[in-house]
Amino acid sequence: MGAVPHLNELSAALADEPVVFLTVSSEAPLDLTTFLSDKPMQSWVASDPDNSAAQAMGVSGIPATFLINTDGEIVWQGKPWELEEDRIRGLLTP
């Protein structure tokens, strides 16, 4: 399964949970709009064409996925298809 459908499934499954999905792309805004017209995403989507966000997060390869807690700490990092609903739910439980 590709990253977009998998993340859309997670977003739908966790719609009633205190989780926000944010996708950051290195594509320019116009290119990103075109991409999203073909592959809609069930998340917030931001354009980072100069890769400043990726550099700040230490991303060395794409796609990269992070779970960030409410304290702003990265609590999980990996590829989108490695992220599972149970892992997210486990991090939601205090």
Side-chain angles (χ1 to χ4, degrees):
M1 173 183 295
V4 171
H6 180 64
L7 292 174
N8 282 345
E9 285 181 6
L10 288 174
S11 181
L14 296 161
D16 294 332
E17 298 291 343
V19 175
V20 174
F21 286 83
L22 169 64
T23 300
V24 180
S25 173
S26 61
E27 299 290 329
L30 185 57
D31 295 333
L32 187 54
T33 300
T34 301
F35 174 82
L36 292 172
S37 69
D38 292 331
K39 294 187 183 220
M41 298 188 77
Q42 304 303 312
S43 66
W44 292 92
V45 180
S47 177
D48 180 35
D50 66 357
N51 288 314
S52 58
Q55 290 172 0
M57 303 275 304
V59 172
S60 59
I62 56 171
T65 302
F66 300 88
L67 289 180
I68 302 169
N69 68 16
T70 55
D71 295 325
E73 302 164 326
I74 296 171
V75 295
W76 184 86
Q77 179 177 345
K79 299 297 180 191
W81 48 85
E82 297 170 336
L83 184 57
E84 298 174 355
E85 181 180 344
D86 290 344
R87 182 180 305 268
I88 297 170
R89 288 191 186 281
L91 291 168
L92 291 173
T93 305

